[in-house]
Amino acid sequence: MVLGALSLDQVTIGAFIGFLLSLPIALFLVYWLSAVKNRTAVIMGGLAGAFIAFLVILGWAGTLFFSQPIPGANGASAFFGGVLLCSAAGLVGGIIVDLIVARRNSRDYRRQVSHE
């Protein structure tokens, strides 16, 4: 495995634009579905999940590790892969952080049971 320099080819540009378009989708859904009071942590988890997916796309099909993109990879496939994978990974990252925050502050999220 040769660590190549990241070049601005079709795959990198397509994946980056797909990543940028996935951010409003993923971050809105994470904010809307969140059940915790600290929504900033959930948004940061969604952002981290989407960025990790962007790096996965560049490592897999792009020039993050190798000097040439894989054969058959083009900007359109990287764009649509970036939109779909980064949106899903951002949502998963936000949900995981949501569960971690809710578990650490479980007193805030328990229902009050009233005994009559």
Side-chain angles (χ1 to χ4, degrees):
M1 178 177 354
V2 177
L3 212 58
L6 188 62
S7 65
L8 288 177
D9 56 349
Q10 290 181 1
V11 174
T12 305
I13 293 171
F16 183 70
I17 293 173
F19 167 70
L20 287 180
L21 286 178
S22 74
L23 285 180
I25 299 166
L27 298 181
F28 170 73
L29 286 174
V30 165
Y31 184 83
W32 185 56
L33 293 173
S34 176
V36 298
K37 293 178 183 175
N38 188 5
R39 300 223 176 161
T40 306
V42 176
I43 295 293
M44 290 299 139
L47 184 63
F51 185 70
I52 289 170
F54 171 67
L55 291 179
V56 165
I57 290 173
L58 284 185
W60 179 34
T63 58
L64 188 62
F65 297 121
F66 302 107
S67 59
Q68 295 291 326
I70 63 171
N74 57 19
S77 62
F79 168 74
F80 287 111
V83 169
L84 295 174
L85 186 66
C86 292
S87 295
L91 186 60
V92 168
I95 288 173
I96 288 173
V97 171
D98 185 56
L99 292 173
I100 290 171
V101 169
R103 182 176 297 224
R104 289 196 176 230
N105 302 327
S106 61
R107 269 182 286 146
D108 296 338
Y109 306 107
R110 289 189 187 145
R111 291 185 183 180
Q112 297 293 331
V113 178
S114 62
H115 297 286
E116 293 181 20

